[in-house]
Amino acid sequence: MHQKKECVAMLLAGGQGSRLYALTKKTAKPAVRFGGKYRIIDFPLSNCINSGIDTVGVLTQYQPLVLNEYIGNGLPWDLDRNVGGVKILPPYQGHSGADWYKGTANAIYQNMEFIDQYNAEYVLILSGDHIYHMDYSKMLKFHKEKGADCTIAVLEVTLEEASRFGIMSTHEDGTIYKFTEKPKNPDSTKASMGIYIFNKKKLFDYLNADAADPDSANDFGKNIIPNMLAAGEKMMAYPFEGYWKDVGTIQSLWEANMDLLGEEPVLNVSDESWRIYSRHHAEEPQFVGKTAVIDNSSITEGCEIHGTVKNCVLGSGVRVMYGAYVKDSVILGNTVIGEGATVNYAILDEGVDIGAGAKVGAPRETATDITVIGTGVKVPSGTTVPDGKMISEL
């Protein structure tokens, strides 16, 4: 029997992230690099430790190798504990080979034993692909004060955006009376953030019932939440204020990176009172050559700049050679941008090689879309990669 933990966090990190195309061909979405020196999963993990939650199960399945290696023993997030800490939970190997998680609810259902061994009263369910700062302990306090069976974190969105989310209709006191997945005509602008706190016993009852239903999609949004509502359980909406972004698309990932730039960034990752921890290997300091021009950009250690970089986020080990011009772009790391090459409005994965004089993308003002180049791709000298192109191999 493990030491008792009041609340255990379960982080759903199994997503294939198909809308990130070339960036997730070889990597699970939560392991995609972000903001120069982070990965997406650093945010929920750091939120856990900053909120005093030190027991986290990370549920993985798609291309988990990079993610497993990255999380390792959890040391960078202070989650290398004898009791609790961070634990990778892949789908169980059944007698007939691996049984993939069928849906978000099934993933938790397959790991009820993990939650049980800590004798937790509450279960916090998180998603691995959001960028935000949040104190989960405040949400837990709210959940307990309201005597709720389930509390769902909600964010105010515009009426136009509401049809993209699961929408909660609530009474004045925050009690949820209706939940609609991606409504055509929303009657509320409270969007579910996919962050839930459940009373463990209630959750297990509903997971067991859900697993026994052959017609269920085994999903929180489609099955568990509606079933609990229909049964009259006490469901509360917890209002979240602050920065939150679902980085499930190329556009939103690019925007979230850009939110780090400027004198007063919309997303502040250097706030000492709420640190975002990462497994970041110390690199050589940046080298900025005499010919370099850098404007409104974030340049991580280990970069070497001889060209022009404007409005960009550069991960470690990026080399921008003489006469190269990079603008409105996110370069994930260990990439060379050759002499005289131009990169506009693009996301370049790790280990990309842009040959001398090559042109990637088009200026943001005229481009149809963001250009994306997958890991390890070499763009030959003098070639042009048109705007909006997604290239995972050449």
Side-chain angles (χ1 to χ4, degrees):
M1 183 64 208
H2 282 76
Q3 181 185 335
K4 185 170 164 29
K5 298 281 180 187
E6 184 186 30
C7 182
V8 166
M10 300 297 270
L11 177 55
L12 296 159
Q16 187 169 342
S18 51
R19 291 175 305 162
L20 290 179
Y21 312 102
L23 300 179
T24 49
K25 256 200 140 145
K26 300 186 174 100
T27 308
K29 184 160 65 169
V32 168
R33 288 184 179 271
F34 176 79
K37 56 177 153 191
Y38 304 100
R39 293 184 189 259
I40 295 169
I41 199 162
D42 289 333
F43 288 80
L45 284 178
S46 299
N47 286 340
C48 282
I49 205 68
N50 288 333
S51 305
I53 293 170
D54 64 6
T55 306
V56 186
V58 179
L59 292 79
T60 64
Q61 65 186 7
Y62 175 81
Q63 294 282 25
L65 224 65
V66 177
L67 192 60
N68 293 0
E69 195 175 77
Y70 182 69
I71 291 172
N73 65 351
L75 181 68
W77 305 272
D78 191 24
L79 286 167
D80 54 326
R81 307 287 173 113
N82 291 336
V83 178
V86 69
K87 185 102 162 66
I88 303 277
L89 303 168
Y92 281 113
Q93 298 281 338
H95 297 300
S96 54
D99 191 12
W100 277 56
Y101 294 142
K102 294 181 189 71
T104 49
N106 176 257
I108 305 293
Y109 171 77
Q110 285 196 37
N111 288 287
M112 285 173 16
E113 248 174 66
F114 172 79
I115 297 167
D116 247 353
Q117 66 184 3
Y118 296 104
N119 203 7
E121 283 170 69
Y122 304 102
V123 182
L124 167 68
I125 293 174
L126 303 170
S127 161
D129 47 14
H130 299 153
I131 300 280
Y132 64 115
H133 296 166
M134 181 174 182
D135 187 343
Y136 305 132
S137 67
K138 287 183 178 161
M139 182 174 170
L140 181 59
K141 185 168 177 267
F142 173 92
H143 175 82
K144 294 196 287 198
E145 281 169 1
K146 300 287 184 189
D149 296 303
C150 167
T151 298
I152 300 172
V154 296
L155 187 74
E156 284 292 342
V157 294
T158 62
L159 208 53
E160 293 79 59
E161 287 176 302
S163 52
R164 299 199 342 251
F165 290 95
I167 293 295
M168 307 285 160
S169 311
T170 63
H171 296 304
E172 295 263 299
D173 66 349
T175 311
I176 300 164
Y177 64 85
K178 190 170 119 195
F179 171 65
T180 329
E181 194 69 87
K182 302 187 175 156
K184 290 221 172 5
N185 303 303
D187 61 1
S188 153
T189 49
K190 290 184 168 64
S192 165
M193 296 164 66
I195 297 167
Y196 313 113
I197 292 179
F198 290 94
N199 291 352
K200 185 195 78 174
K201 195 177 165 332
K202 270 292 189 285
L203 174 64
F204 281 18
D205 290 347
Y206 279 87
L207 288 177
N208 284 321
D210 179 70
D213 175 2
D215 300 325
S216 175
N218 307 125
D219 184 81
F220 278 101
K222 292 190 186 89
N223 308 105
I224 304 288
I225 306 292
N227 292 349
M228 286 183 76
L229 263 179
E233 304 292 0
K234 185 159 189 194
M235 316 277 284
M236 297 299 297
Y238 173 75
F240 171 76
E241 284 161 14
Y243 184 93
W244 181 85
K245 205 159 187 87
D246 177 342
V247 286
T249 64
I250 292 292
Q251 182 65 39
S252 61
L253 182 65
W254 181 87
E255 285 169 7
N257 272 283
M258 293 299 137
D259 286 341
L260 296 164
L261 301 177
E263 288 289 305
E264 290 187 11
V266 187
L267 169 59
N268 179 9
V269 283
S270 49
D271 178 358
E272 278 305 310
S273 67
W274 199 266
R275 281 192 60 193
I276 300 301
Y277 300 91
S278 72
R279 187 179 291 280
H280 186 58
H281 303 292
E283 303 261 355
E284 298 290 307
Q286 302 91 329
F287 178 80
V288 177
K290 289 192 174 70
T291 52
V293 177
I294 299 174
D295 179 28
N296 190 41
S297 295
S298 163
I299 314 282
T300 310
E301 298 92 358
C303 285
E304 187 182 326
I305 315 290
H306 300 284
T308 300
V309 179
K310 291 187 172 182
N311 208 38
C312 289
V313 175
L314 270 51
S316 58
V318 173
R319 292 161 62 205
V320 178
M321 305 319 278
Y322 297 95
Y325 179 87
V326 191
K327 189 175 180 209
D328 294 325
S329 295
V330 179
I331 320 285
L332 301 189
N334 302 318
T335 283
V336 179
I337 295 164
E339 291 197 13
T342 57
V343 176
N344 268 300
Y345 195 39
I347 298 181
L348 273 49
D349 205 338
E350 290 180 75
V352 171
D353 195 331
I354 306 293
K359 287 184 169 48
V360 175
R364 194 179 157 204
E365 298 68 40
T366 57
T368 51
D369 211 339
I370 299 169
T371 309
V372 180
I373 298 189
T375 178
V377 170
K378 286 186 167 34
V379 176
S381 300
T383 12
T384 296
V385 177
D387 55 307
K389 262 298 226 214
M390 300 253 175
I391 295 175
S392 51
E393 48 239 324
L394 268 183

